[in-house]
Amino acid sequence: MTDRLTIALDAMGGDHGPQVVLPAALRVLKKRNDLDLLLVGDREILTRELAALGGGDNPRLHIEHASQCVDMDELPSHALRFKKDSSMRVAINLVKEGRAQACVSAGNTGALMATARYVLKTLRGIDRPAICTALPSMTGHTWMLDLGANIDCTPEQLFQFGLMGSVLCGALDDNSSPRVGLLNIGEEETKGNETVKEAAGLLSTGAMNYVGFIEGTDIYGGEVDVVACDGYIGNIALKSSEGIARMIAFYIKREFSRNILTKLVALIALPVLKSFRKQIDPRRYNGASLLGLRGIVIKSHGGADVLAFANAIDVAALEVEHNVPELISSQLHNILSERQAG
Amino acid sequence: MTDRLTIALDAMGGDHGPQVVLPAALRVLKKRNDLDLLLVGDREILTRELAALGGGDNPRLHIEHASQCVDMDELPSHALRFKKDSSMRVAINLVKEGRAQACVSAGNTGALMATARYVLKTLRGIDRPAICTALPSMTGHTWMLDLGANIDCTPEQLFQFGLMGSVLCGALDDNSSPRVGLLNIGEEETKGNETVKEAAGLLSTGAMNYVGFIEGTDIYGGEVDVVACDGYIGNIALKSSEGIARMIAFYIKREFSRNILTKLVALIALPVLKSFRKQIDPRRYNGASLLGLRGIVIKSHGGADVLAFANAIDVAALEVEHNVPELISSQLHNILSERQAG
């Protein structure tokens, strides 16, 4: 048995395409010897770009040709129907065919989700896949899902999200009992709509360490390891957080560049500010998992830079090493069996 | 005609009650001569506390006795039924009776909303009141509503929120054409659920300067002056923002207090950090309006300190000066007339 990993990269996806994906691939290959990468996209472009980067002769980098690209604003249905030879689709096909154990794309999220569902299918017991990522918290990080794939969710789906998040956190963080919270507008049991109240009932049945409702303020507080929510509020929470973080950075920068004196202070404070920034650098958290599929698909931020995309490849490798889809599948199998028995 | 203002304060509400409300009242009275304040609560306690603060002889501070208090976790229905002589209820009654032109409470939000609706009633054309506050943005501030009063909203209600926000922003910021955005999970017209899509249609009919869907990231970017949304996602957005802002503050503090050297740097950077903090100090944004009522009711944060509560009183005074409920009412009247004619 070999422990070598192969990961397919949608080399044309995202805002920057090969300009980011190729250097990121080379960067990751330098770090680890057990990895092969399949670069999916226009062979001519990729060969040329790779040569320019001095990576043309790397024996662990392989090009898989794909003649099309999915546009960032293309409708998922359009991509599914007319882009059967897109770099995104071919990368997912490689996972389906077993030639890669995971794929990473910085392309159009909706198209990636639709194509992955169509090609790979969902696990038995999962209604719809969810987008899950780690977010920084005061004590480390918190896993949150769904972040935008599912606008309207049933209580059962919210239960599945909690379970998948719990399995992912258990595996990747080596946490034997991840605390799972359900995002709501108050901690009291009377708060929220009927869906979350019913979901709370399902989550409380002992399948995981469910700790109850949490509020938006708790996402970053470290009180829970997993935050389950529907994709509508998950997306709103994530984007609002991004927005205020950007605003805070804007004001910090502005205050420090106000005059020559504050610029001097900034120079002195630079190491501290850098060390602070590192703690919550969004690039370190790049790489969201499309959980619930029969295969590993990682979504990188569209605007990811080299460091960020490399991080997404690392996430893919971690999930391969921990066999995340199988873990979710077997947990689900146990729960479904118990339900049938009960 | 006199331009004197009278504002009623729920002196027993919030986490700190009179300890915060009384000093805040004295602080505001010092600043402006055109204001009278009615302190509502237990006369004995208030008289004693006021004397201790040296404010017992202030001719513009009056005590209105109320024998009960609404608890912070009390069910709104319970408060409505059993707390008819609460400081909160009496403060709202004073507005109803015309003895005060506005009231401010740091008490239980749900009870305040329920009591205000019951006592004051909503304006003609408004289905339900909304909670609206200003949030800091990169260019100044943005008004956002609803922040938690209405979990499920109809498209018509979202339209009303946009309109009320537009009127408030127009009056308080002297903005002749506030840009109104509708919070959604994407800017494209195809994104979101049926409710927001229908609401977008209503908002586009020319009653206000509607600019389209915005994402969570845009709340703080300054691209819009008013953000309309249902109370569920509004609350999630607000609380998530609060959460990450707290986390960022936590990491900044931690990095600067890591060792003697970083502490020294912190000392040097202190004026800059303070000036930065001032920009986004939540206390400067304390005082949310319960819009859509036949009267002015301002909700202070439960944990508000003196500066923050004083700010909420200022918001109340501003809305009185601008006659906000009448402005909303007349705008609504015009729209309803046009609809009937059209």
Side-chain angles (χ1 to χ4, degrees):
Chain A
M1 184 191 146
T2 166
D3 280 317
R4 293 199 62 77
L5 316 178
T6 304
I7 295 172
L9 309 180
D10 169 5
M12 315 303 281
D15 301 341
H16 312 298
Q19 262 85 49
V20 156
V21 176
L22 271 47
L26 291 168
R27 186 191 179 104
V28 175
L29 286 181
K30 237 183 232 167
K31 271 196 315 188
R32 46 194 304 169
N33 292 317
D34 58 344
L35 185 67
D36 280 82
L37 294 173
L38 306 178
L39 297 168
V40 187
D42 186 290
R43 184 180 299 277
E44 201 179 317
I45 295 174
L46 293 181
T47 308
R48 190 177 59 225
E49 297 275 334
L50 207 51
L53 288 167
D57 54 354
N58 192 316
R60 293 187 287 124
L61 253 188
H62 318 275
I63 295 174
E64 285 286 326
H65 182 67
S67 63
Q68 296 176 303
C69 270
V70 174
D71 297 326
M72 290 305 268
D73 56 356
E74 194 166 337
L75 279 177
S77 54
H78 190 273
L80 212 50
R81 196 156 164 206
F82 299 109
K83 297 287 177 75
K84 290 187 181 160
D85 197 39
S86 71
S87 53
M88 179 189 282
R89 177 82 166 250
V90 172
I92 296 171
N93 286 342
L94 289 167
V95 177
K96 171 77 180 173
E97 295 156 10
R99 291 184 52 207
Q101 291 137 298
C103 69
V104 182
S105 173
N108 180 327
T109 310
L112 183 68
M113 179 56 96
T115 309
R117 273 188 75 189
Y118 179 79
V119 173
L120 299 173
K121 313 295 181 216
T122 50
L123 293 166
R124 187 174 153 254
I126 294 292
D127 297 330
R128 292 201 53 175
I131 302 176
C132 180
T133 197
L135 296 170
S137 83
M138 288 198 202
T139 57
H141 60 251
T142 307
W143 299 92
M144 185 157 159
L145 73 168
D146 175 37
L147 293 172
N150 306 282
I151 292 185
D152 285 311
C153 290
T154 62
E156 174 65 28
Q157 279 177 291
L158 290 171
F159 167 82
Q160 292 165 10
F161 296 169
L163 187 85
M164 293 196 290
S166 177
V167 171
L168 188 71
C169 173
L172 270 51
D173 294 342
D174 197 19
N175 182 334
S176 63
S177 183
R179 296 158 300 169
V180 178
L182 186 58
L183 188 58
N184 197 359
I185 58 168
E187 286 167 20
E188 305 85 357
E189 281 178 32
T190 54
K191 289 282 176 79
N193 56 32
E194 288 314 308
T195 308
V196 291
K197 286 181 198 168
E198 244 182 84
L202 292 173
L203 285 160
S204 311
T205 50
M208 68 201 89
N209 181 14
Y210 174 65
V211 298
F213 288 143
I214 63 153
E215 292 193 82
T217 34
D218 305 322
I219 300 173
Y220 304 95
E223 289 91 358
V224 293
D225 304 300
V226 177
V227 177
C229 58
D230 72 54
Y232 201 73
I233 65 169
N235 186 282
I236 296 279
L238 187 72
K239 295 274 178 73
S240 309
S241 306
E242 240 180 272
I244 197 168
R246 253 186 235 169
M247 183 191 76
I248 291 172
F250 166 83
Y251 279 118
I252 291 183
K253 223 177 206 168
R254 201 177 72 169
E255 286 309 317
F256 275 113
S257 56
R258 200 172 271 285
N259 56 48
I260 188 93
L261 197 70
T262 57
K263 279 179 191 162
L264 200 69
V265 172
L267 215 63
I268 295 165
L270 204 62
V272 186
L273 291 173
K274 267 195 174 162
S275 160
F276 149 68
R277 199 191 136 73
K278 210 184 149 189
Q279 302 283 342
I280 56 162
D281 187 349
R283 299 179 301 173
R284 286 179 58 217
Y285 292 92
N286 188 45
S289 312
L290 271 50
L291 287 184
L293 295 164
R294 295 171 193 258
I296 297 167
V297 180
I298 303 297
K299 165 75 175 94
S300 158
H301 198 284
D305 67 5
V306 174
L307 175 63
F309 197 88
N311 197 77
I313 303 175
D314 289 337
V315 174
L318 260 177
E319 293 198 10
V320 174
E321 285 165 350
H322 287 90
N323 243 329
V324 168
E326 268 95 301
L327 282 179
I328 293 174
S329 179
S330 77
Q331 276 273 3
L332 270 168
H333 179 76
N334 293 344
I335 288 165
L336 293 177
S337 308
E338 274 173 39
R339 277 192 193 171
Q340 274 173 347
Chain B
M1 185 191 144
T2 168
D3 279 317
R4 292 199 62 77
L5 316 177
T6 304
I7 295 173
L9 310 179
D10 169 5
M12 314 304 281
D15 301 340
H16 312 297
Q19 261 86 50
V20 156
V21 176
L22 270 45
L26 291 169
R27 186 191 178 105
V28 176
L29 287 181
K30 238 183 232 165
K31 271 195 317 188
R32 46 193 305 167
N33 291 316
D34 59 344
L35 185 67
D36 280 83
L37 294 174
L38 306 179
L39 298 168
V40 187
D42 186 291
R43 185 180 300 276
E44 201 179 318
I45 295 174
L46 294 181
T47 307
R48 190 177 61 227
E49 297 274 333
L50 207 53
L53 288 166
D57 53 354
N58 192 317
R60 293 187 288 124
L61 254 187
H62 318 276
I63 295 173
E64 285 286 325
H65 182 67
S67 63
Q68 295 176 303
C69 270
V70 174
D71 296 327
M72 289 306 266
D73 56 357
E74 193 166 339
L75 279 178
S77 54
H78 190 273
L80 212 50
R81 198 157 163 205
F82 300 108
K83 297 285 177 76
K84 291 187 181 160
D85 197 38
S86 72
S87 52
M88 179 189 282
R89 177 84 167 249
V90 172
I92 296 171
N93 286 343
L94 289 168
V95 177
K96 171 78 179 172
E97 295 157 10
R99 290 184 51 207
Q101 291 137 299
C103 69
V104 182
S105 173
N108 180 327
T109 310
L112 184 67
M113 179 57 96
T115 309
R117 272 187 76 188
Y118 179 78
V119 173
L120 298 174
K121 313 294 181 215
T122 51
L123 292 167
R124 189 174 152 251
I126 293 293
D127 297 330
R128 292 201 51 175
I131 301 176
C132 180
T133 196
L135 296 170
S137 84
M138 289 197 202
T139 57
H141 60 251
T142 306
W143 298 92
M144 186 157 158
L145 72 168
D146 175 37
L147 293 171
N150 306 282
I151 292 185
D152 285 310
C153 290
T154 62
E156 175 65 29
Q157 279 176 291
L158 290 171
F159 167 82
Q160 292 165 10
F161 295 170
L163 186 85
M164 292 195 292
S166 178
V167 171
L168 187 70
C169 172
L172 269 52
D173 294 342
D174 197 19
N175 181 335
S176 63
S177 183
R179 296 158 301 168
V180 178
L182 186 58
L183 188 59
N184 197 359
I185 58 167
E187 287 168 18
E188 305 85 357
E189 280 177 35
T190 54
K191 290 283 177 78
N193 57 29
E194 288 313 308
T195 308
V196 290
K197 286 181 197 167
E198 241 182 86
L202 292 174
L203 286 160
S204 311
T205 50
M208 68 201 88
N209 181 13
Y210 173 66
V211 298
F213 288 144
I214 64 153
E215 294 192 81
T217 34
D218 305 323
I219 300 172
Y220 304 95
E223 289 91 357
V224 293
D225 304 300
V226 177
V227 177
C229 58
D230 71 54
Y232 202 73
I233 65 170
N235 186 281
I236 296 280
L238 187 72
K239 295 273 178 75
S240 309
S241 306
E242 240 181 272
I244 197 168
R246 255 187 236 169
M247 184 192 75
I248 292 171
F250 167 82
Y251 278 118
I252 291 182
K253 224 177 206 166
R254 200 178 73 171
E255 286 309 317
F256 275 112
S257 56
R258 199 172 273 286
N259 55 47
I260 188 94
L261 198 70
T262 58
K263 279 179 191 163
L264 200 67
V265 172
L267 215 61
I268 295 165
L270 203 62
V272 187
L273 292 173
K274 267 194 174 162
S275 161
F276 148 69
R277 198 190 137 74
K278 210 184 149 189
Q279 302 284 342
I280 55 162
D281 187 349
R283 298 179 301 172
R284 286 180 57 217
Y285 292 92
N286 188 46
S289 311
L290 271 51
L291 288 184
L293 295 165
R294 296 171 192 257
I296 297 167
V297 179
I298 303 297
K299 164 76 174 94
S300 159
H301 198 286
D305 66 4
V306 174
L307 176 63
F309 197 89
N311 198 76
I313 303 175
D314 288 338
V315 173
L318 259 178
E319 294 199 10
V320 174
E321 284 165 350
H322 287 90
N323 242 328
V324 168
E326 267 96 302
L327 282 178
I328 292 174
S329 179
S330 77
Q331 277 273 2
L332 271 168
H333 179 77
N334 293 344
I335 288 164
L336 294 176
S337 308
E338 275 173 36
R339 276 191 192 171
Q340 274 173 346

